[in-house]
Structures are given as structure tokens and as C-alpha cells.
Amino acid sequence: MRRDDRLVDNIDSIFDILQRCDTISIGLNGGGYPYIIPMTFGCELNNGKITVYFHSAGAGRKWDILNEDPRVCCEGHLYYKTVKLDDGSITAQYESVIGTGKAVLITDKDEKIKSLKVILDHYKQSGFPVTSCKGLSFVEVFKVELDEVAGKRNF
């Protein structure tokens, strides 16, 4: 990173930024070009590692790419405003997180339900009855333990 003064490297601070993001973008490797898709998500911090959860249909471009190459890049950001500086330049005030890892399909039903609850909690929908949802048998859930993660902010 070119601007060390903007680096956020404390895992708790990085997780805090990620939790405040509405969506993340998942970068995939496939089809000759990178493929980026915005996703609803949930995340957890356990033992100093961030795990991101997102859902998918069991078919389609995202599904096909993840089954060929599970390596992903996850990005989330918060834009606050653009400000003019005293020196005549302009800058954006923001916070962002970028991490990489491998997407793993969750096949255990109990873990899938738990992961969907993490996603719902992220959107303040913790009371939704996941186990009686008609779509439960159709939705697939992936988890990505972020092997590398960094944050950046400019206030």
C-alpha cells in the first residue's frame, strides 16, 4: 500500500468496517476475464480470522466459476464524502476492506442454517424462520475464510 497512514491492519477494526458494509463484491477467476459480483453477505470473526458467507443458486455463471476455481477476492467499502483540502486538492473520505481466500460450499445442513442466520443477522433479520423457509432446499451457501485481509481509511 502506497499510503501507510491510511492502512488499517488491526483485525478488530477491519471486521468493524466490514460489518458496516451493506454489500461486498466478490471477484472470481473465470471465463477469460475477472468476474465481479455484488453480494449480500454475513461475516464472523473467530480466533483472529474473518469468515465471510454468501449464498448462491446451484447453477449459473457464479456457480460454474466457483466450481472451477474457488479462489476469490472480497471487497467492501463505505464512502462518506468528498472534501476539498487547503492545498487545493480534493480527496474522498472512506473506509474499505479487501481480502482473499477460497470459497467452500457448505454441505452440512446445520452449518448451512447457521451460516444463513449469520447473513440474516447482518441485515437485522435475525427473527426470520430459516428452517421453515421454502427456499432452504434450493439455496447454496459458501464460506470464505480470509487468508489475507487489509483495511484502508481516509477521514
Side-chain angles (χ1 to χ4, degrees), residues 28-127:
L28 309 174
N29 302 295
Y33 289 93
Y35 182 62
I36 300 171
I37 184 166
M39 298 293 305
T40 55
F41 74 105
C43 56
E44 293 182 308
L45 177 62
N46 292 309
N47 301 319
K49 288 287 229 179
I50 296 173
T51 302
V52 173
Y53 301 95
F54 63 92
H55 61 83
S56 175
R61 186 173 182 182
K62 175 176 47 174
W63 177 263
D64 292 343
I65 293 172
L66 286 171
N67 280 295
E68 284 183 30
D69 187 348
R71 295 174 300 152
V72 299
C73 180
C74 302
E75 181 276 343
H77 63 273
L78 301 160
Y79 167 81
Y80 298 112
K81 63 182 177 178
T82 303
V83 294
K84 293 179 182 174
L85 303 177
D86 293 337
D87 66 2
S89 62
I90 193 167
T91 190
Q93 293 183 335
Y94 65 90
E95 294 178 282
S96 64
V97 172
I98 295 179
T100 56
K102 290 187 178 178
V104 176
L105 178 65
I106 296 173
T107 56
D108 178 78
K109 184 177 180 181
D110 291 335
E111 185 180 1
K112 180 179 174 180
I113 290 168
K114 176 192 161 291
S115 301
L116 287 168
K117 287 180 178 182
V118 171
I119 294 170
L120 288 166
D121 287 348
H122 185 80
Y123 296 98
K124 313 293 188 257
Q125 298 295 320
S126 57

Side-chain angles (χ1 to χ4, degrees), residues 13-31:
S13 297
I14 293 169
F15 185 67
D16 175 64
I17 295 168
L18 191 58
Q19 283 188 301
R20 290 183 282 118
C21 291
D22 292 327
T23 59
I24 58 172
S25 293
I26 304 287
L28 309 174
N29 302 295

